[in-house]
Structures are given as structure tokens and as C-alpha cells.
Coordinates of all heavy atoms in Angstrom, one line a residue:
L1 N -7.1 -16.0 -13.9 CA -8.5 -16.3 -14.2 C -9.5 -15.4 -13.6 O -10.6 -15.2 -14.1 CB -8.8 -17.8 -13.9 CG -8.7 -18.3 -12.5 CD1 -9.3 -19.7 -12.4 CD2 -7.2 -18.5 -12.1
D2 N -9.2 -14.9 -12.4 CA -10.1 -13.9 -11.7 C -10.1 -12.6 -12.5 O -11.2 -12.0 -12.8 CB -9.7 -13.7 -10.3 CG -8.3 -13.3 -10.0 OD1 -7.4 -13.5 -10.9 OD2 -8.0 -12.8 -8.9
W3 N -8.9 -12.1 -12.8 CA -8.8 -10.8 -13.5 C -9.5 -10.9 -14.9 O -10.1 -10.0 -15.3 CB -7.3 -10.5 -13.7 CG -6.9 -9.1 -14.2 CD1 -7.8 -8.1 -14.4 CD2 -5.6 -8.7 -14.6 NE1 -7.1 -7.0 -14.9 CE2 -5.7 -7.4 -15.0 CE3 -4.4 -9.4 -14.6 CZ2 -4.6 -6.7 -15.5 CZ3 -3.3 -8.6 -15.0 CH2 -3.4 -7.3 -15.5
Q4 N -9.3 -12.1 -15.5 CA -10.0 -12.3 -16.8 C -11.5 -12.2 -16.7 O -12.2 -11.6 -17.5 CB -9.6 -13.6 -17.4 CG -10.2 -13.9 -18.8 CD -9.8 -15.3 -19.3 OE1 -10.0 -16.3 -18.5 NE2 -9.3 -15.4 -20.5
L5 N -12.1 -12.7 -15.6 CA -13.5 -12.6 -15.3 C -13.9 -11.2 -15.1 O -14.9 -10.7 -15.6 CB -13.9 -13.5 -14.1 CG -15.4 -13.4 -13.7 CD1 -16.3 -13.8 -14.8 CD2 -15.6 -14.2 -12.5
W6 N -13.1 -10.4 -14.3 CA -13.4 -9.0 -14.1 C -13.5 -8.2 -15.4 O -14.4 -7.4 -15.6 CB -12.4 -8.3 -13.2 CG -11.9 -9.0 -12.0 CD1 -10.7 -8.8 -11.4 CD2 -12.6 -9.9 -11.1 NE1 -10.5 -9.6 -10.3 CE2 -11.7 -10.3 -10.1 CE3 -13.8 -10.5 -11.1 CZ2 -12.0 -11.2 -9.0 CZ3 -14.2 -11.5 -10.1 CH2 -13.3 -11.8 -9.1
E7 N -12.5 -8.6 -16.3 CA -12.5 -7.9 -17.6 C -13.7 -8.2 -18.4 O -14.3 -7.3 -19.0 CB -11.2 -8.3 -18.4 CG -10.9 -7.5 -19.6 CD -11.7 -7.9 -20.8 OE1 -12.1 -9.1 -20.9 OE2 -11.9 -7.0 -21.7
K8 N -14.2 -9.4 -18.4 CA -15.4 -9.8 -19.1 C -16.6 -9.0 -18.6 O -17.5 -8.5 -19.3 CB -15.7 -11.3 -19.0 CG -14.7 -12.1 -19.9 CD -15.0 -13.6 -19.7 CE -14.1 -14.5 -20.5 NZ -14.4 -15.9 -20.3
L9 N -16.7 -9.0 -17.2 CA -17.8 -8.3 -16.6 C -17.8 -6.8 -16.8 O -18.8 -6.2 -16.8 CB -17.9 -8.7 -15.1 CG -18.1 -10.2 -14.7 CD1 -18.0 -10.4 -13.2 CD2 -19.4 -10.7 -15.2
S10 N -16.6 -6.3 -16.9 CA -16.5 -4.8 -17.0 C -17.0 -4.3 -18.3 O -17.4 -3.2 -18.5 CB -15.0 -4.4 -16.9 OG -14.3 -4.8 -18.1
K11 N -17.1 -5.2 -19.3 CA -17.6 -4.8 -20.6 C -19.1 -4.9 -20.8 O -19.7 -4.4 -21.7 CB -17.0 -5.7 -21.7 CG -15.5 -5.5 -21.9 CD -14.9 -6.3 -23.1 CE -15.0 -7.8 -22.9 NZ -14.3 -8.6 -23.9
K12 N -19.8 -5.6 -19.8 CA -21.2 -5.8 -19.9 C -21.9 -4.5 -19.8 O -21.6 -3.6 -19.0 CB -21.7 -6.8 -18.8 CG -21.3 -8.2 -19.0 CD -21.8 -9.1 -17.9 CE -23.3 -9.2 -17.9 NZ -23.8 -10.1 -16.8
K13 N -22.9 -4.3 -20.6 CA -23.7 -3.0 -20.6 C -24.4 -2.8 -19.3 O -24.4 -1.8 -18.7 CB -24.6 -3.0 -21.8 CG -25.4 -1.7 -22.0 CD -26.2 -1.7 -23.3 CE -26.9 -0.3 -23.4 NZ -27.7 -0.3 -24.7
H14 N -25.2 -3.8 -18.9 CA -26.0 -3.7 -17.7 C -25.3 -4.6 -16.6 O -25.5 -5.8 -16.4 CB -27.4 -4.2 -17.9 CG -28.1 -3.4 -19.0 ND1 -28.5 -2.1 -18.8 CD2 -28.5 -3.8 -20.3 CE1 -29.1 -1.7 -19.9 NE2 -29.1 -2.7 -20.8
S15 N -24.4 -3.9 -15.9 CA -23.6 -4.6 -14.8 C -23.2 -3.5 -13.8 O -23.3 -2.3 -14.0 CB -22.4 -5.3 -15.4 OG -21.7 -6.0 -14.5
E16 N -22.7 -4.0 -12.7 CA -22.2 -3.1 -11.7 C -21.1 -3.8 -10.8 O -21.3 -5.0 -10.4 CB -23.3 -2.6 -10.8 CG -22.9 -1.6 -9.8 CD -24.1 -1.0 -8.9 OE1 -25.2 -1.4 -9.3 OE2 -23.8 -0.3 -8.0
F17 N -20.0 -3.1 -10.6 CA -19.1 -3.5 -9.6 C -19.4 -2.8 -8.3 O -19.3 -1.5 -8.3 CB -17.6 -3.2 -10.0 CG -17.1 -4.1 -11.1 CD1 -17.9 -5.0 -11.7 CD2 -15.8 -3.9 -11.5 CE1 -17.3 -5.8 -12.7 CE2 -15.2 -4.7 -12.5 CZ -16.0 -5.7 -13.2
V18 N -19.6 -3.5 -7.2 CA -19.9 -2.8 -5.9 C -18.7 -3.0 -5.0 O -18.3 -4.1 -4.7 CB -21.2 -3.5 -5.3 CG1 -21.5 -2.8 -4.0 CG2 -22.4 -3.4 -6.2
Y19 N -18.2 -1.8 -4.7 CA -16.9 -1.8 -3.9 C -17.1 -1.2 -2.6 O -17.5 -0.1 -2.4 CB -15.8 -1.0 -4.7 CG -14.5 -0.7 -4.0 CD1 -13.9 -1.7 -3.3 CD2 -14.0 0.5 -4.1 CE1 -12.7 -1.5 -2.7 CE2 -12.7 0.8 -3.5 CZ -12.1 -0.2 -2.8 OH -10.9 0.0 -2.1
C20 N -16.7 -1.9 -1.5 CA -16.6 -1.4 -0.2 C -15.1 -1.3 0.2 O -14.4 -2.3 0.2 CB -17.3 -2.4 0.8 SG -17.1 -2.0 2.5
S21 N -14.7 -0.1 0.4 CA -13.2 0.1 0.6 C -12.7 -0.3 2.0 O -11.5 -0.4 2.2 CB -12.9 1.6 0.4 OG -13.6 2.4 1.3
K22 N -13.6 -0.7 2.9 CA -13.2 -1.1 4.2 C -12.4 -2.4 4.1 O -12.9 -3.3 3.4 CB -14.4 -1.3 5.1 CG -15.2 -0.1 5.5 CD -16.4 -0.4 6.4 CE -17.2 0.9 6.7 NZ -18.4 0.5 7.5
P23 N -11.3 -2.6 4.8 CA -10.6 -3.9 4.7 C -11.2 -4.9 5.6 O -10.9 -5.1 6.8 CB -9.2 -3.5 5.3 CG -9.4 -2.3 6.2 CD -10.6 -1.6 5.6
L24 N -12.1 -5.7 5.0 CA -12.9 -6.7 5.7 C -12.5 -8.1 5.6 O -13.2 -9.0 6.0 CB -14.4 -6.5 5.3 CG -15.1 -5.2 5.6 CD1 -16.5 -5.2 5.2 CD2 -15.0 -4.9 7.1
M25 N -11.3 -8.3 5.0 CA -10.8 -9.7 4.9 C -9.3 -9.6 4.9 O -8.7 -8.6 4.5 CB -11.3 -10.5 3.8 CG -11.1 -10.0 2.4 SD -9.5 -10.5 1.7 CE -9.5 -12.3 2.0
G26 N -8.6 -10.7 5.4 CA -7.2 -10.7 5.4 C -6.6 -11.7 4.5 O -7.0 -12.9 4.5
H27 N -5.7 -11.3 3.6 CA -5.1 -12.1 2.6 C -3.7 -12.5 3.1 O -2.9 -11.6 3.3 CB -5.0 -11.4 1.3 CG -4.3 -12.2 0.2 ND1 -4.7 -13.5 -0.1 CD2 -3.3 -11.8 -0.7 CE1 -3.9 -13.9 -1.1 NE2 -3.1 -12.9 -1.4
R28 N -3.5 -13.8 3.3 CA -2.3 -14.2 3.9 C -1.2 -14.4 2.8 O -1.4 -15.0 1.8 CB -2.4 -15.6 4.6 CG -1.3 -16.0 5.6 CD -1.6 -17.3 6.2 NE -2.8 -17.3 6.9 CZ -3.0 -16.9 8.2 NH1 -1.9 -16.5 8.9 NH2 -4.2 -17.0 8.8
I29 N 0.0 -13.8 3.1 CA 1.1 -13.9 2.2 C 2.1 -14.8 2.8 O 2.7 -14.6 3.9 CB 1.8 -12.5 2.0 CG1 0.8 -11.5 1.5 CG2 2.9 -12.6 0.9 CD1 0.1 -11.7 0.2
H30 N 2.4 -16.0 2.2 CA 3.3 -16.9 2.7 C 3.9 -17.8 1.6 O 3.3 -17.8 0.5 CB 2.7 -17.8 3.8 CG 1.6 -18.7 3.3 ND1 1.8 -20.0 3.0 CD2 0.3 -18.5 3.1 CE1 0.7 -20.6 2.6 NE2 -0.3 -19.7 2.6
E31 N 5.0 -18.4 1.8 CA 5.7 -19.1 0.7 C 5.0 -20.3 0.1 O 5.3 -20.7 -1.0 CB 7.1 -19.5 1.3 CG 8.0 -18.3 1.6 CD 9.3 -18.8 2.2 OE1 9.5 -19.9 2.5 OE2 10.2 -17.9 2.3
E32 N 4.1 -20.9 0.9 CA 3.4 -22.0 0.4 C 2.1 -21.7 -0.4 O 1.5 -22.6 -0.9 CB 3.0 -23.0 1.6 CG 4.2 -23.4 2.4 CD 3.8 -24.1 3.7 OE1 2.6 -24.4 3.9 OE2 4.7 -24.4 4.5
S33 N 1.8 -20.4 -0.5 CA 0.5 -20.1 -1.1 C 0.6 -20.2 -2.6 O 1.7 -20.2 -3.2 CB 0.2 -18.6 -0.7 OG 1.0 -17.7 -1.4
E34 N -0.6 -20.3 -3.2 CA -0.6 -20.5 -4.7 C -0.2 -19.2 -5.3 O 0.4 -19.2 -6.4 CB -2.1 -20.8 -5.1 CG -2.3 -21.0 -6.6 CD -1.4 -22.2 -7.1 OE1 -1.1 -23.1 -6.3 OE2 -1.2 -22.2 -8.3
T35 N -0.5 -18.0 -4.7 CA 0.0 -16.7 -5.2 C 1.5 -16.7 -5.4 O 2.0 -16.3 -6.4 CB -0.5 -15.6 -4.3 OG1 -1.9 -15.6 -4.2 CG2 0.0 -14.2 -4.9
S36 N 2.2 -17.1 -4.3 CA 3.6 -17.1 -4.4 C 4.1 -18.1 -5.5 O 5.1 -17.8 -6.2 CB 4.2 -17.5 -3.1 OG 3.9 -16.5 -2.1
A37 N 3.4 -19.2 -5.6 CA 3.9 -20.3 -6.6 C 3.7 -19.7 -8.0 O 4.6 -19.9 -8.8 CB 3.0 -21.5 -6.4
V38 N 2.6 -19.1 -8.3 CA 2.4 -18.6 -9.7 C 3.3 -17.4 -10.0 O 3.7 -17.2 -11.2 CB 1.0 -18.3 -10.0 CG1 0.1 -19.6 -9.9 CG2 0.4 -17.2 -9.1
I39 N 3.7 -16.6 -9.0 CA 4.6 -15.5 -9.3 C 6.0 -16.1 -9.7 O 6.7 -15.5 -10.5 CB 4.7 -14.6 -8.1 CG1 3.4 -13.8 -7.9 CG2 5.8 -13.6 -8.2 CD1 3.2 -13.0 -6.7
D40 N 6.4 -17.2 -9.1 CA 7.6 -17.8 -9.4 C 7.6 -18.5 -10.8 O 8.7 -18.7 -11.3 CB 8.0 -18.9 -8.3 CG 8.5 -18.2 -7.1 OD1 9.0 -17.1 -7.1 OD2 8.4 -18.9 -6.0
D41 N 6.4 -18.7 -11.3 CA 6.3 -19.3 -12.6 C 6.5 -18.3 -13.7 O 5.8 -17.3 -13.7 CB 4.9 -20.0 -12.7 CG 4.7 -20.8 -13.9 OD1 5.4 -20.7 -14.9 OD2 3.8 -21.7 -13.8
N42 N 7.3 -18.5 -14.6 CA 7.6 -17.6 -15.7 C 6.4 -17.3 -16.6 O 6.3 -16.3 -17.3 CB 8.8 -18.1 -16.6 CG 10.1 -18.1 -15.9 OD1 10.3 -17.3 -15.0 ND2 11.0 -19.0 -16.2

């Protein structure tokens, strides 16, 4: 659902994606996370 939103916003004529390449947040990878759960889902 996040990627789908980026796709919608990427098409807008008057829009901007502002990207700071500095790693300013930490994404935790662990077995109980929703990310792991949906990857296991076919």
C-alpha cells in the first residue's frame, strides 16, 4: 500500500519527492515483524 501511494504521487504533474540519502532511521528486521509476515504470504 505504501508503494502504491508512491506510484500515484509519481504521476502527479506538480509534485516532488524529496530524498535525503543520510541513514536517519533504523528499520528493524525480525521474525515477528509485519514485513516478515507478508513476505511469507504467497
